[in-house]
């Protein structure tokens, strides 16, 4: 499997291609990845400790186990304007807070009634 590069980060799984000609941006995206910033899952550890801390009168805590875990990005499904058309994209909450997403305007018109 070939690695692909998204915004300076290497991804080791095949991705679907999304092209933004207006923004001069070529992006590859996949599940659990932000379509704008490229944020994805990160590796980490869950650490178990036992014992009483020294501050509380014990002899100190000791690590009894470490297991691998994943930190997932806070992805939100947002209706946004992309290349002049309205579509849903999955972006990180931090990208929304930074103002990287142009949200779609509200629809106030009603559907025309069917003629009978």
């Amino acid at each position: 499997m070939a690695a692909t590069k998204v915004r300076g980060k290497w991804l080791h799984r095949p991705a679907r291609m999304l092209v933004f000609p207006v923004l001069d941006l070529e992006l590859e995206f996949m599940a659990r990845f932000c379509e704008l910033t490229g944020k994805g899952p990160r590796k980490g550890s869950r650490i178990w400790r036992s014992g009483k801390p020294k501050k509380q009168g014990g002899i100190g805590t000791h690590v009894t186990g470490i297991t691998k875990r994943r930190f997932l990005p806070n992805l939100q499904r947002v209706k946004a304007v992309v290349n002049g058309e309205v579509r849903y994209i999955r972006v990180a909450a931090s990208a929304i807070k930074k103002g990287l997403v142009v949200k779609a305007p509200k629809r106030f018109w009603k559907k025309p009634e069917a003629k009978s």
Side-chain angles (χ1 to χ4, degrees):
M1 222 181 291
T4 54
K5 196 169 190 178
V6 174
R7 288 207 157 217
K9 297 177 184 177
W10 286 98
L11 305 174
H12 298 283
R13 281 183 263 158
R16 293 180 285 163
M17 192 69 145
L18 180 69
V19 180
F20 295 113
V22 174
L23 303 174
D24 193 33
L25 196 67
E26 196 173 284
L27 228 114
E28 295 179 4
F29 68 97
M30 61 184 89
R32 292 202 174 117
F33 276 83
C34 175
E35 293 185 34
L36 295 180
T37 61
K39 277 188 178 183
R42 309 284 297 215
K43 287 189 222 176
S45 302
R46 186 174 284 128
I47 300 173
W48 277 273
R49 291 183 172 92
S50 67
K52 195 171 183 181
K54 287 187 177 182
K55 286 184 177 180
Q56 295 176 7
I59 60 164
T61 57
H62 302 282
V63 174
T64 59
I66 299 175
T67 46
K68 294 178 180 177
R69 63 160 289 188
R70 292 172 80 199
F71 290 94
L72 300 176
N74 184 5
L75 292 181
Q76 305 294 321
R77 188 170 170 258
V78 177
K79 198 185 246 187
V81 177
V82 179
N83 295 339
E85 68 179 41
V86 176
R87 65 182 213 89
Y88 282 101
I89 56 175
R90 294 185 70 198
V91 291
S94 59
I96 298 170
K97 287 180 182 179
K98 287 176 189 173
L100 300 177
V101 178
V102 179
K103 291 198 175 181
K106 300 278 186 206
R107 278 182 21 177
F108 292 110
W109 54 273
K110 293 181 181 177
K111 291 184 179 179
E113 293 180 13
K115 293 177 184 176
S116 53

